[in-house]
Amino acid sequence: EILRCLVGSEMCKETVQEVIEALQGPIGMSPCSVDCDYCNRSSGCEFNAVWCAADVLVAQLFSSITLADLFEKGASHPEVSRILESKY
């Protein structure tokens, strides 16, 4: 019932990314992908490049889903469905 009240409100225009970042800060696969000063080797590290690429993919997904989308569509959101279908 509470979720239905939220759908259509201004709050539901917020993205999943905005909510997560407001609650816990930047989303990152590794501390070095969020803070380049975390490790002095990150600029030449192959793992860092992979973590940063993963961060971009996660950000693209999370920023494409609003709270309204999440409450109304959930796993049937087109982008979520596309990703889940392509995982195998």
Side-chain angles (χ1 to χ4, degrees), residues 14-21 27 62-63 65-67 70:
E14 298 292 322
T15 66
V16 171
Q17 174 141 355
E18 291 168 327
V19 172
I20 292 171
E21 287 182 342
I27 300 169
F62 287 177
S63 66
I65 301 171
T66 65
L67 290 182
L70 184 63

Side-chain angles (χ1 to χ4, degrees), residues 37-66:
D37 293 330
Y38 181 81
C39 176
N40 61 0
R41 294 185 231 156
S42 62
S43 65
C45 176
E46 286 77 15
F47 283 109
N48 179 265
V50 172
W51 302 152
C52 289
D55 289 351
V56 169
L57 293 173
V58 169
Q60 288 172 346
L61 174 62
F62 287 177
S63 66
S64 74
I65 301 171
T66 65

Side-chain angles (χ1 to χ4, degrees), residues 16 56-66 69-70 73-87:
V16 171
V56 169
L57 293 173
V58 169
Q60 288 172 346
L61 174 62
F62 287 177
S63 66
S64 74
I65 301 171
T66 65
D69 292 338
L70 184 63
K73 300 173 188 169
S76 65
H77 184 279
E79 189 64 12
V80 173
S81 297
R82 182 189 67 78
I83 292 168
L84 291 175
E85 288 171 5
S86 69
K87 79 176 191 178

